[in-house]
Each structure stands twice: as structure tokens, then as C-alpha cells.
Amino acid sequence: MKTIQAVSYPVHFQEESYVLLSNLIKNNNYSTIFILVDENTMEHCYPKFIPNLKTDKRIELIEIESGEINKNLETCIGVWNAITELGGDRKSLLITLGGGVITDLGGFVASCFKRGIDFVNIPTTLLSMVDASVGGKTGVDLGVLKNQIGLFANPQMVIVDDRYLTTVTPREIKSGTAEIIKYGLTYDIHLFNQIKDNKDLKIKDLIFRSVEIKNEVVLQDPKEQNLRKILNFGHTLGHAIESFYLESEDKENLTHGEAIAIGMVCESYLSSQLLGLSTEKVNTVKEVVLSIYNKNNLLKQDFSSIVNLLKHDKKNVNGQVNFVLLNDFEDFKIDCKVPEDLIIESMEFYNR
Amino acid sequence: MKTIQAVSYPVHFQEESYVLLSNLIKNNNYSTIFILVDENTMEHCYPKFIPNLKTDKRIELIEIESGEINKNLETCIGVWNAITELGGDRKSLLITLGGGVITDLGGFVASCFKRGIDFVNIPTTLLSMVDASVGGKTGVDLGVLKNQIGLFANPQMVIVDDRYLTTVTPREIKSGTAEIIKYGLTYDIHLFNQIKDNKDLKIKDLIFRSVEIKNEVVLQDPKEQNLRKILNFGHTLGHAIESFYLESEDKENLTHGEAIAIGMVCESYLSSQLLGLSTEKVNTVKEVVLSIYNKNNLLKQDFSSIVNLLKHDKKNVNGQVNFVLLNDFEDFKIDCKVPEDLIIESMEFYNR
């Protein structure tokens, strides 16, 4: 029975969420309700969702192909054409029903269609629940560069319904866990310890606490000037590793969480070398990560390609890579410059 | 020596504009200055512009192909890739130097790159000076549908320098004149009469007054709830006609102004049929338009295609086309529904 109030919209967790959504539709008198799904959420989530939606408005389904590889502008053009052909106008509502690809891409599509229509996010994976529910980041990839194109835009409402989690794979649950670990390490070590000790783990509570943390961070620093940068912990190297696997045709892709987990181990190592994080704590991070994720040794010959991808990180200025590192758990430092040989050392540390 | 203060940025008209731009760059400590041009503004405007820019920052030129046909997402992707390859980061500045295609597309590109970088618009055609200097509309076409994808975003500064007008064709000057006529008919009949009587026509003053009017309108109604809709006068049918010519391979394209001029004649006719605009005034509008633009008879067999394109107008709600019509000069009514046979009659009126 809980709601978190984000900057301009509510994140609903309770049973009555769908009643509130139906009311939103009624009160705003939308002309058409578009629902964006992929083939997986179409099969597994849509049948759970649609009986809850009480409205006499026209409903139109738009399905895109699942996968990060499709989180691009070509897919956006397809969705924009579909909305146009289905007679979408400025009073249309777009409901996104899916993981991060659907919610990020859908938010971007809605925000740019006829200079912006309303949208509602219903994340169906653990990752999108804990990561995309607040913050207003929408966007798509440009080539292998993650979220290179996008904008800040807020939905009218978010519904976090953990019953959708029964529709996803254990690997996807693990992918979302990486973000929860991040919230723990940077902001609430109690949360991290819960995962480390592997007890009292009610997923519902972990999700709620994660959204609560992210919301506190975003409200204090919406434009990512300072505090919000902690949300990038593990993501600087993590994104580069994720992009590298995405563009390597002979390698199986990593999930976002798998890449970010490696990134957190490496960046904890950097934190210990450059700042005050103790070696013991670095080892704890590595142990917890390896207790959840398979070891994915990074090949020596790939190091330079990964380092090269760092130069496209969105936090960079004047060609300088800016890391967010930890003085200690729950204590961060932004805009850290790291010598290239130390970055490589951090990947070797992960491999050891 | 004048500046108009738009909602969050200045529009400079004076000699010192370029000094102020150089100061802006210095004060914001941008990492790189990207300049977006097309082959025409590269040849004719860039040589006039660049000696004025006093900065020690890295400058990178990006050239796209001119023409409305290139105002699309494919071109955006090209520019985003170019900025990426040239090492653009969040502290980059994009200066747009060109007509409406360059300023609209450039503003959109900047606003979505890494979730938004700063941009400065330097319109070089009469149309973009009087239409794109204020209002914050950025965007591109989707197929033949004008400005279907875009968003509201404000530049850091606009420089209106009428010396660039020596670089454009008389046809382009005429294209911009249609917007000035629109400001006159809907907001300041004195401005319209100046054009009608064809005297005291200092282009500099017409531009300044037009930007001043648009700014007053936009400040009062930034989100286009009411007053701002007058800026769409002539544009509902005008855009449909423009799109129709754009997609007809056997017809030469109309300029935006040529299409809007026809739209204003037709919509004045609709105003006389549905509201109080006198027949005498409708005839005056038609006479002034035909004194400037060649007659472009609309073919009977094309009427239904044009009417069909109206259904994509951004003002539509629930499949209803919403016209902005005139009770009288300087007196408008929004959200007017018009029967289809009357729309066709209005095109016949133009043809007569």
C-alpha cells in the first residue's frame, strides 16, 4: 500500500495501482492508449496487465523486438511510424510494459512524438524496476554507445508490480541485483549487507528501498551535478565492458548487471588504489559479486578496446574520463581521473 | 543595438552580437564548438561568420545536405555520429548556421545528444529569422509529415544578422515574407498593411517586429494552449499542401512560405464562411498573396490527398482537425472544426 512521490509523478507499488492508472486515463481524457511491448512482455506480461485496465478508450498495441541490440533510433522510427499510422495525436498516452529497453526507448519516443505526449512506465524486470522507475532518463543507444541519444523526461506515473518478476529468467533477476548492490555500496551499506548475508531477502522490500534511495538521490541532484553521479558507480567501466561485448560478434553479450558487477569490482579496486577504500572492503565486493555472477574473465588482448570505449562515456569532459569512486562505503568522490595502466590493473584484479 | 529577451535567452540583432557569443563561449568554458552548416551556408555564410568568432576552443564543422527532404532522422543520426567521432561531450556547444532545416534539426540534435548539450542558433534565411528565433520548437520530419518528431528546447542565444540575407535567393526571401504576413493578419494589422502598401519596407524592421510579436505570443502561452495557436494560422492547410508537394514526385516542391501563403488564403476564406471575417478582407489577403507569389493552382484530383494529410496535423485531437481561424484581423478563434466540403471549397476559392 505504498507510493513514492518522485519529482513530478507517483511511483505506485500497491494493488490499487491499476485503479489509479484507470483514473489517470479518465481524468486526462486521452484520445488513444498505446501500449508498447516486446514479444516477451506481449506473451507473459500483457495478459496479466490488460484485465486490470478499465477504460473505454481505444487501445492499440505496438510490439518491438526485445534486446539491447534493438534499443536504437531505427526502432524508434518504427514506433513513431506505427503511432502515426494508428492515428496517434497529442492527447495520446503511451504505456510502456517491459524492461529497460522498453521503458527507456518508450519514454524517448513519447517525449519526441509531436513534441511530447504523456507516458506511463510499467517496468517488468528487476533492473527496470529499481533503475528506471525514477530519474527521468530516457534514450536509446547510438551504435554500441549506450544511451547516447535521449533526454530527461518524466512519466505521468510508474507502476512497480513485482508479480511481473515471475515472467523473467533468473539471469534477469541477477542483472537487476547489480543495481541494488550499487545502491548499497554508495548510499546504504545495510542494503548491501542484506545481499551479502543472503538473508531477510524479500525482493519486494529490496525493490522498494532501491527506488526510495534513487528517488532521494535524484530529488537532491536532478541534473547530475554531484550526488547523482554515485548512480554511475561501476557504470563507467561497466558500460564500456557492456558495449565491448555488444560489438564483439564472437562473444555472448553480457547483461547490463553482469557488466556493471564487473565494473563495480574494478572501480572498487581503483577506489582502494586512489582513495581510502580498504583492501578488505574491495575483497568483500569481489566476493559478493562472484557469489552471484559467473566469473567472466576479461581477455588481455581486449583491454585496450575496452579502455578505448571509455572515451565516449557521457561524464567525460575535454577527453578526460571521469570516474565516481569511493573513499569508503557510502562515501564517494566524483570526477576522479585514473591513469590508463591503473584501469588495466583493475581488470587484472577482477580476473585474479 | 537591440536585443529581445526571449523566455530564457537573448536574441541579439546588433553588431556586437558576435562579441557576446564569444563571451558566452568563454564564460561557459565549452570543450568544443561544433558548427552545423549545409553546403550553401558553408559556402556563403560561414566565411562571413567565422572571422567574428573569437575563441581558442577547438572548432569542428559538420555539413549536411540542404533541403527539407533532408530534415529527417537519418540526417540526425549522421550528425550524432559525427559529433561522437569528433569527441563531442556534454560540455560541447553546437552552433547552427543556416535556414530552418539547420536550426530546427540542429536544436533537436543538440537537445538529445547525451541528454542535451547547449546550442546557439544563427538563422541565415528570412524564414528562419522570423520563425525560428523564438519559440523553442525543434524537430524533424517523419516521412513527409512536418516536424512530427521533436521537442521544446531553448538555445543559449540567437543572433539575427540580416547581412546573411544577401546570400539567399529572392524566392527564399518571399518564403519568409509569408510568416510576416501571418504575424500581421493575426496580431498587428499595421505590419500587414506595410507589406500590402509595399512602402517603408525596411527588412530589418520587419524582422525585428516579427520576432517581437512571436516573442510576445510565446511568452504569454509557451505550451500552445491558446494564443500561441495563432502562429498556426495558414499552417493547417499550408502544411498539408507542403507535404503533398513534397511527396509528389512529379511536382516541384513549394517553399514553406509558398505553401503557407496558399494556406492563409484558404483559411481566410474559411474564416469568412464560418466566422465574421468580411469578404472584402478575404479578397485583400488573396490579392496581397498573389502580388507576391506566383499562382499555384491546386488540381481538383489532388484535393482529397491534401485533405487526407490534414489528419496528421499536430493540433488534431480524436481525429478532429482543429483550425485556427479569424473572427477579424487581429482576432482569432482556436479549435474550429471545418466540414470537408468547405475545405475543398476554400481551395477552389484560391484557384479562382
Side-chain angles (χ1 to χ4, degrees), chain A residues 80 84 88-90 109-117, chain B residues 147-152 311-316:
Chain A
W80 281 319
T84 301
D89 59 32
R90 281 183 176 162
V109 160
S111 307
C112 295
F113 185 73
K114 297 184 188 238
R115 299 203 186 89
I117 61 171
Chain B
N147 304 319
Q148 190 82 341
I149 305 305
L151 47 102
F152 287 98
K311 72 169 188 276
H312 299 294
D313 189 83
K314 285 194 287 303
K315 294 183 302 305
N316 295 358

Side-chain angles (χ1 to χ4, degrees), chain B residues 138-330:
Chain B
T138 73
V140 294
D141 305 339
L142 184 71
V144 298
L145 300 178
K146 300 262 305 168
N147 304 319
Q148 190 82 341
I149 305 305
L151 47 102
F152 287 98
N154 288 316
Q156 299 299 304
M157 176 186 287
V158 173
I159 293 177
V160 177
D161 181 345
D162 55 45
R163 289 172 297 186
Y164 293 118
L165 294 181
T166 59
T167 69
V168 305
T169 63
R171 192 177 177 202
E172 279 175 311
I173 297 285
K174 284 186 187 181
S175 181
T177 306
E179 296 292 339
I180 303 178
I181 292 174
K182 179 192 73 181
Y183 296 125
L185 292 176
T186 56
Y187 198 85
D188 178 2
I189 200 63
H190 175 67
L191 182 62
F192 175 73
N193 287 335
Q194 281 185 299
I195 291 171
K196 174 165 76 79
D197 302 339
N198 199 16
K199 59 181 182 195
D200 301 330
L201 284 184
K202 262 199 193 155
I203 192 95
K204 200 187 268 294
D205 299 330
L206 293 178
I207 296 169
F208 188 82
R209 179 63 188 142
S210 295
V211 175
E212 204 171 45
I213 290 172
K214 181 159 185 186
N215 193 43
E216 282 175 34
V217 169
V218 168
L219 285 179
Q220 284 178 63
D221 177 21
K223 285 288 171 186
E224 204 167 316
Q225 307 290 316
N226 192 311
L227 176 65
R228 184 166 178 171
K229 292 190 183 180
I230 65 168
L231 302 179
N232 291 310
F233 179 68
H235 282 61
T236 309
L237 254 168
H239 272 161
I241 292 168
E242 190 180 1
S243 293
F244 175 75
Y245 274 78
L246 204 57
E247 73 179 6
S248 303
E249 286 175 5
D250 59 330
K251 292 188 165 65
E252 207 204 336
N253 292 341
L254 297 182
T255 64
H256 179 68
E258 284 162 354
I260 269 41
I262 300 173
M264 286 191 290
V265 172
C266 295
E267 295 182 15
S268 295
Y269 178 82
L270 295 176
S271 300
S272 72
Q273 298 299 305
L274 294 171
L275 304 173
L277 192 68
S278 74
T279 308
E280 191 197 334
K281 287 178 176 171
V282 179
N283 288 331
T284 304
V285 174
K286 187 171 170 185
E287 276 160 31
V288 171
V289 162
L290 292 182
S291 74
I292 300 176
Y293 305 93
N294 292 332
K295 188 92 170 286
N296 238 304
N297 273 342
L298 305 168
L299 300 180
K300 231 186 175 79
Q301 69 255 36
D302 297 337
F303 286 174
S304 65
S305 305
I306 292 169
V307 169
N308 208 34
L309 281 163
L310 284 173
K311 72 169 188 276
H312 299 294
D313 189 83
K314 285 194 287 303
K315 294 183 302 305
N316 295 358
V317 173
N318 279 317
Q320 282 277 12
V321 184
N322 285 316
F323 283 84
V324 187
L325 299 179
L326 298 178
N327 296 310
D328 197 352
F329 290 159
E330 300 182 343

Side-chain angles (χ1 to χ4, degrees), chain A residues 31 73 80-81 84 89-90 112 114-115 137-138 142 145 147-151 312 314 316-318, chain B residues 31 73 80-81 84 89-90 112 114-115 137-138 142 145 147-151 312 314 316-318:
Chain A
S31 55
L73 288 153
W80 281 319
N81 278 321
T84 301
D89 59 32
R90 281 183 176 162
C112 295
K114 297 184 188 238
R115 299 203 186 89
K137 287 189 176 178
T138 74
L142 184 71
L145 299 178
N147 303 320
Q148 191 82 342
I149 305 305
L151 47 104
H312 300 294
K314 285 193 289 301
N316 295 356
V317 173
N318 279 317
Chain B
S31 57
L73 288 151
W80 281 320
N81 278 322
T84 301
D89 60 31
R90 280 184 177 163
C112 294
K114 297 184 186 239
R115 300 201 187 90
K137 287 190 176 178
T138 73
L142 184 71
L145 300 178
N147 304 319
Q148 190 82 341
I149 305 305
L151 47 102
H312 299 294
K314 285 194 287 303
N316 295 358
V317 173
N318 279 317

